[in-house]
Amino acid sequence: MKEINVLVEKLLKAKEAYYNSQPIMSDSEFDSLEDQLYKLDPENYYFSIVGISIKGSNKIKHTVPMLSCGKAKTTEDVFTWLKRIGNEKEILLEMPKIDGLSGTIKYINGKISYISTRGDGEVGQEITYLKDYLNVPQNISALDPYEVRGEIYLPKDTQFNVDGKPLRNIASGLVGRKDQRGDCKYLRFVAYQSIGTSKTKFNEVLDEINGFGFDVVEYKLLKKEEIEESRLHYLSVKRQEWLYETDGLVLTINDMKKYDDIDSLYRVEHHHHYNIALK
């Protein structure tokens, strides 16, 4: 019982730190602790917790929640997921799972209305001042309103002195700074989703965002039988090649018209069911 309580305390502290843009451990460490707790006590109250308090006065309530992904540890787990949702023959879109700080940029009348962190998925912290530093367009020609979601990160070749510390932690620290904000010029934003698009294919959404002037995650379309080969290529080549740090791949059904039907089969709280993270 003591071991369980210690694990829960560590996880809650890590969650609160992460949601307030001050992570104290890596995603892999966090996942490992969650796995340990689940093996010891799968019914623990911890797994029913939806949110953690967000510090600061300038809070943004997301019009569409920014949820996490379900997890898969092996390609076989992905096959099981595809079978469960009844979409084994669907084309998938694969993209990197970037290890940074999730954020969203809201445009009204084609201009930036606000920038916010993900926070607990329901409410985030406003960080609109970053518009003067991030590599994002100040104006776009898009349907109104339009929201671009992505990851704020420090590239591996950053010129900012990180002194051997994890890039993700340094990036979060820069985002939360009250002074010396000029150092935020080292941060980068890479997009992976939009809210407000009229497109019905996920790859077309990413192409649309790229057309507005955003840096967009590298992606590719693939079939079920190509997943394992692609995973191995990621581990041996792409993980080292990409300038953003990653902790896996995200696989998403490319046909967005199927999303509501897939989600309707299950409860949607922590994550949607039309995508999964292969870690």
Side-chain angles (χ1 to χ4, degrees), residues 69 81-82 85 90-95 192 202 220-222 249-256 259 274-277:
C69 284
W81 162 68
L82 286 171
I85 64 173
E90 282 295 319
I91 296 296
L92 299 168
L93 184 142
E94 177 197 274
M95 67 170 72
Y192 56 66
F202 198 13
K220 65 180 177 181
L221 300 176
L222 72 171
L249 300 167
V250 177
L251 296 164
T252 306
I253 299 296
N254 193 51
D255 187 352
M256 297 168 64
Y259 289 2
Y274 49 76
N275 61 14
I276 198 165

Side-chain angles (χ1 to χ4, degrees), residues 5 7 9 28 30 34 38 57 70 84 89 95 97 112 144 146 148 170-171 182 192 230 260 271:
N5 290 337
L7 282 171
E9 184 177 355
S28 59
F30 184 81
E34 278 199 334
Y38 190 80
S57 57
R84 178 168 58 83
K89 296 183 179 180
M95 67 170 72
K97 187 177 184 301
I112 294 177
D144 194 30
Y146 196 91
V148 177
I170 298 297
Y192 56 66
S230 188
D260 286 344
H271 61 271

Side-chain angles (χ1 to χ4, degrees), residues 65-201:
M66 296 182 69
L67 302 183
S68 299
C69 284
K71 299 174 186 175
K73 292 185 176 181
T74 66
T75 300
E76 285 299 324
D77 290 340
V78 177
F79 293 166
T80 300
W81 162 68
L82 286 171
K83 184 175 182 179
R84 178 168 58 83
I85 64 173
N87 283 264
E88 294 182 87
K89 296 183 179 180
E90 282 295 319
I91 296 296
L92 299 168
L93 184 142
E94 177 197 274
M95 67 170 72
K97 187 177 184 301
I98 300 170
D99 192 15
L101 178 68
S102 298
T104 186
I105 306 175
K106 183 72 167 283
Y107 288 83
I108 302 290
N109 295 324
K111 297 181 180 180
I112 294 177
S113 174
Y114 64 75
I115 304 177
S116 171
T117 64
R118 175 183 179 271
D120 66 357
E122 296 284 345
V123 177
Q125 182 70 33
E126 184 182 1
I127 50 172
T128 308
Y129 71 86
L130 282 182
K131 70 183 179 66
D132 297 324
Y133 304 101
L134 292 176
N135 55 320
V136 299
Q138 300 296 306
N139 301 279
I140 62 173
S141 55
L143 296 173
D144 194 30
Y146 196 91
E147 194 171 335
V148 177
R149 295 178 169 179
E151 209 78 5
I152 301 168
Y153 71 101
L154 272 176
K156 293 176 183 176
D157 63 352
T158 183
Q159 298 303 302
F160 185 74
N161 181 21
V162 298
D163 196 26
K165 297 177 182 178
L167 291 177
R168 175 190 181 190
N169 292 11
I170 298 297
S172 295
L174 290 176
V175 168
R177 270 191 175 179
K178 303 296 183 187
D179 54 8
Q180 295 181 312
R181 286 181 170 173
D183 288 339
C184 290
K185 67 183 180 181
Y186 296 102
L187 295 170
R188 294 292 179 268
F189 181 87
V190 59
Y192 56 66
Q193 186 186 29
S194 76
I195 305 297
T197 182
S198 61
K199 304 296 184 183
T200 59
K201 301 289 187 182

